[in-house]
Amino acid sequence: MTGGSAGIGTAIAQKADSLDAEAAGGPTGRTVAYWGAVVSMMLGVFGLVTAEFLPISLLTPMAADLGITESLAGQAISTTAILAFAASLLVSSFTRALNRRHVMMGLSALLVVSNLLVAYAPGYLALLLGRMLLGAALGGFWAMSTAIVMRLVPEPLVPRGLSIMVSGVAAATIFAAPVGSYLGAVIGWRPVFLLAAGLGVLALAVQFFTLPSLEPRGHGSLSTLLRVARRPRVAAGLLAVLLVFSGHFALFTYVRPFLENVTGVAIASVSAMLLGFGVANYAGTYFGGFMLERNMRLTMALPPLAIGAIGIVLSSTTGAPWLVGALIAVWGFAFGTVPVAWSNWVAQTIPDEPESGGGLLVAAIQVAIALGAGGGGMVLSLGGASGVFGLGGMTLITAALLISLRVRQQPEPAASCQA
């Protein structure tokens, strides 16, 4: 090892020892914010979510190349969601004795492998295998991300740290949708997944140099998951999550077939509209952090209500591309607030078991994505893209009503948390 490399290794070790000493007293004892490590988490989220949603923008060419229908190609998303669901519930238990730095880096490495498998997939089964590995990486990374950010920054800065991490979702939306569809038309869908593998390598490298040692905490068992899930406030929140994300992904998974077949726009216009969605989504992420400091209930309930109304309006329109583009941009802005709001909900509602809470949140989201992509594909086959948007819109409006009436952000009273 060279002197420069040794110096870097020594600096990382000293930084890790310092963080562990501060962490011993819990999140409330944190006095130093490790923003570089938070950014490394954001890059991991960016790479994972980009890979997860690339099939949305590449659905048509993937289906044509592999000789399958668009609705079957859409199941590449639901397959990822199913494995992410399992990983989100099991990762804390299976890695309870492992340093969280090593776990997160291992999951980022798995992201790289999964993208390479998809890029070189000779057929549909190989494609699904790669997407299954992605699901394992995605579910594990997301499940522990909120708990790790809570350990990297002082407690008052946790919402800001989560907002930075979740901004990787919005950045991935910009890349995966418009850039993915454009590059897919120019260089083909397989090279796009090779680029996604490169994003995974970048995230892994930054994590290596910035993410400090984090010894495991909490109980990390399936019984703990069950106890947390039985808390009334947690159960109501998870049901709301299921409705919000299943409604959204019923719309988002099949937005390209909707734009091409219902509104009749060309591929260049599709890319422009998806770019508008992504840019607005990124802005919405930071606006969501601003809103959370003022009214968390409104921040959680208003976006699904707005997106649901937009879905119903789009289901009945057949023209005016400028209007469709404007509505899609508003949709992107509204959804930008959703991931950061629910990450903060975990931090506020389940502060005693954030890894278990994060696992349950991710599990609910992945079930919702599977239901949205799978159910949306069935509706697409039977009633077309307009039917998908109508059903998704009604689901989102139902979610907004549930959040307004039942979802709470405060921690469960001690008596309710007993096993």
Side-chain angles (χ1 to χ4, degrees):
M1 179 180 289
T2 65
S5 298
I8 292 173
T10 302
I12 292 175
Q14 292 173 345
K15 182 178 178 182
D17 292 341
S18 173
L19 181 61
D20 282 341
E22 291 180 43
T28 57
R30 174 76 61 243
T31 58
V32 177
Y34 292 84
W35 294 117
V38 173
V39 171
S40 79
M41 296 291 292
M42 181 272 290
L43 290 173
V45 169
F46 174 57
L48 286 161
V49 177
T50 293
E52 183 182 17
F53 297 144
L54 273 179
I56 293 173
S57 61
L58 301 171
L59 202 63
T60 302
M62 286 177 66
D65 186 30
L66 295 172
I68 57 178
T69 65
E70 290 181 353
S71 60
L72 189 59
Q75 304 316 307
I77 298 171
S78 59
T79 299
T80 300
I82 292 170
L83 267 294
F85 165 77
S88 66
L89 295 178
L90 298 175
V91 64
S92 186
S93 177
F94 280 23
T95 64
R96 69 174 69 184
L98 299 180
N99 190 296
R100 272 27 192 162
R101 164 183 161 87
H102 302 150
V103 173
M104 304 310 277
M105 289 179 60
L107 293 170
S108 293
L110 193 58
L111 162 67
V112 177
V113 173
S114 68
N115 279 320
L116 291 176
L117 284 175
V118 171
Y120 292 105
Y124 186 59
L125 292 180
L127 171 70
L128 290 183
L129 175 60
R131 300 295 293 179
M132 290 169 68
L133 293 180
L134 174 64
L138 178 72
F141 197 99
W142 261 120
M144 291 192 289
S145 60
T146 296
I148 289 178
V149 171
M150 290 173 67
R151 296 177 63 181
L152 294 175
V153 300
E155 188 173 5
L157 297 179
V158 167
R160 186 184 304 177
L162 291 173
S163 182
I164 291 173
M165 182 192 71
V166 172
S167 69
V169 177
T173 303
I174 296 175
F175 183 86
V179 177
S181 63
Y182 174 77
L183 290 178
V186 174
I187 63 177
W189 69 271
R190 294 179 186 273
V192 174
F193 277 96
L194 289 177
L195 292 176
L199 291 177
V201 172
L202 174 63
L204 180 59
V206 177
Q207 288 162 17
F208 177 80
F209 287 109
T210 64
L211 193 62
S213 175
L214 292 167
E215 294 301 325
R217 283 185 178 181
H219 298 89
S221 65
L222 293 178
S223 61
T224 302
L225 279 174
L226 293 175
R227 286 198 299 271
V228 172
R230 286 202 299 265
R231 301 178 185 180
R233 290 177 182 173
V234 174
L238 293 177
L239 177 58
V241 168
L242 193 69
L243 292 173
V244 170
F245 282 86
S246 62
H248 169 73
F249 282 101
L251 306 180
F252 194 58
T253 303
Y254 301 100
V255 65
R256 178 168 176 171
F258 171 82
L259 292 174
E260 290 180 334
N261 300 329
V262 177
T263 64
V265 298
I267 182 61
S269 296
V270 171
S271 298
M273 290 180 182
L274 294 178
L275 177 61
F277 179 99
V279 172
N281 186 262
Y282 194 84
T285 298
Y286 289 97
F287 182 75
F290 173 81
M291 286 292 296
L292 283 169
E293 297 176 0
R294 288 151 180 81
N295 192 320
M296 187 166 182
R297 176 75 61 84
L298 184 65
T299 307
M300 297 175 73
L302 187 57
L305 180 63
I307 299 170
I310 289 171
I312 292 175
V313 171
L314 288 175
S315 70
S316 60
T317 185
T318 57
W322 67 269
L323 175 60
V324 173
L327 289 173
I328 288 176
V330 174
W331 169 14
F333 183 84
F335 190 72
T337 67
V338 172
V340 66
W342 285 103
S343 293
N344 273 278
W345 174 81
V346 168
Q348 292 192 22
T349 310
I350 322 171
D352 57 318
E353 289 288 348
E355 282 195 9
S356 295
L360 290 169
L361 176 66
V362 174
I365 291 173
Q366 297 307 320
V367 169
I369 293 174
L371 290 174
M378 295 176 60
V379 176
L380 180 69
S381 300
L382 297 174
S386 294
V388 174
F389 273 64
L391 179 61
M394 291 302 300
T395 302
L396 284 155
I397 291 174
T398 302
L401 293 174
L402 176 61
I403 293 168
S404 299
L405 297 174
R406 296 293 305 276
V407 175
R408 301 289 185 272
Q409 292 81 48
Q410 297 79 14
E412 203 76 34
S416 300
C417 299
Q418 299 288 331

